[in-house]
Amino acid sequence: MAAGSTNSSEIASVWTRPARERRDQPALSRDQIVAEAINLLDAEGFDALSMRKLGARLGAGATSLYTHVANKDELLELVVDQVIGEVKVPRPDPQQWRAPMHAQADALRATLLAHPWITIVLSNAALTYLGPNMMRLTDSMLAIVEAGGFDDEVVDVTTNTVFQFIVGSCANEAAMVMTVARSGLPTQQWVDQVMAASAAASTQYPRLHRRYVDQRPQVVAEAAAGVVSRFSQAIDLILDGAETRRG
């Protein structure tokens, strides 16, 4: 999210170099390449993406793609920013800040879970924050927290913490969804089996064991509807922490 100043001439990113010009009309556009890359990632996952495979899906050689992107890393910067553009941005409310932040968090979570591969990219690509849609999202979150009357340091820390929590929690959720899909079991049945196995494996750790046993019914019941309630509770804990830093 928010970062310090950078010298764009020293950074290898699709967002810091001029677009390449061609006198002839290329067969493919950057938008077509990005859209098909997202389709491939959504259908087959992160590991399936290669320039060669993407070129084949577009009916072109991999070299044709390099007219628009220098390498796979630049392509990933583009697809991430395109997906982040799907996130709805709420209007800051000068009368409150927590409700808009919950709305922003829910919207970002929904988008990340609709494209489960994106959490892998966000965990490995350091320059995604340079994209215009990511900057739009970051600016929105900053504006929401600013409306709470906090100083810049609290605004920055809160915004980054919320964003990092959302990415991390969605990575865990996405991994679970993919694991459940591979198991062939209904979600509730899979979660029940995992909780039972966790309880059995944790008998030497009394505090952890008690939680697996006590929380098993609730966790299994929540599995069918996702973990929105626990997600909201976690966001509230972060916002509660920010409230203690109000100047």
Side-chain angles (χ1 to χ4, degrees):
M1 298 294 287
S5 62
T6 59
N7 184 343
S8 61
S9 65
E10 299 176 357
I11 295 176
S13 169
V14 72
W15 304 116
T16 60
R17 64 168 175 79
R20 298 176 180 176
E21 295 183 1
R22 284 184 54 166
R23 293 183 179 179
D24 59 320
Q25 182 65 33
L28 295 173
S29 69
R30 175 183 280 185
D31 288 346
Q32 287 175 301
I33 293 169
V34 171
E36 190 58 37
I38 292 172
N39 290 337
L40 173 57
L41 287 161
D42 286 346
E44 302 185 33
F46 177 76
D47 291 337
L49 179 65
S50 71
M51 300 299 274
R52 182 183 299 275
K53 189 169 187 177
L54 179 59
R57 286 173 66 107
L58 289 163
T63 54
S64 299
L65 308 186
Y66 294 117
T67 301
H68 300 283
V69 292
N71 48 47
K72 183 178 175 180
D73 288 341
E74 285 198 0
L75 176 62
L76 289 172
E77 290 178 344
L78 290 167
V79 298
V80 165
D81 203 63
Q82 184 70 23
V83 168
I84 292 299
E86 299 174 11
V87 180
K88 294 182 179 180
V89 172
R91 185 185 300 275
D93 186 340
Q95 303 302 318
Q96 59 174 332
W97 69 287
R98 295 181 70 119
M101 182 55 79
H102 272 285
Q104 184 71 93
D106 290 344
L108 178 56
R109 174 180 179 269
T111 297
L112 297 186
L113 291 180
H115 305 278
W117 50 269
I118 197 173
T119 58
I120 299 174
V121 183
L122 289 172
S123 298
N124 291 278
L127 300 179
T128 54
Y129 74 89
L130 292 172
N133 286 321
M134 184 65 82
M135 288 189 172
R136 164 182 163 270
L137 174 64
T138 303
D139 197 67
S140 168
M141 295 178 74
L142 290 170
I144 290 169
V145 184
E146 280 183 356
F150 302 101
D151 62 35
D152 284 349
E153 181 181 3
V154 175
V155 169
D156 291 347
V157 171
T158 302
T159 300
N160 282 309
T161 302
V162 169
F163 183 82
Q164 291 163 10
F165 166 73
I166 295 170
V167 173
S169 66
C170 286
N172 290 336
E173 285 191 68
M176 188 189 79
V177 168
M178 290 184 285
T179 302
V180 171
R182 288 194 296 268
S183 75
L185 297 173
T187 300
Q188 284 182 293
Q189 183 180 347
W190 182 87
V191 170
D192 189 45
Q193 290 184 2
V194 169
M195 291 296 290
S198 300
S202 63
T203 54
Q204 300 299 312
Y205 309 97
R207 297 168 188 82
L208 185 60
H209 178 71
R210 176 171 59 82
R211 283 167 171 76
Y212 280 128
V213 172
D214 292 349
Q215 295 176 12
R216 180 177 173 185
Q218 179 182 356
V219 172
V220 172
E222 289 177 344
V227 290
V228 177
S229 63
R230 288 178 179 265
F231 177 82
S232 296
Q233 289 171 14
I235 295 294
D236 270 330
L237 283 175
I238 296 172
L239 304 189
D240 288 347
E243 291 281 10
T244 68
R245 301 286 299 277
R246 189 185 298 280

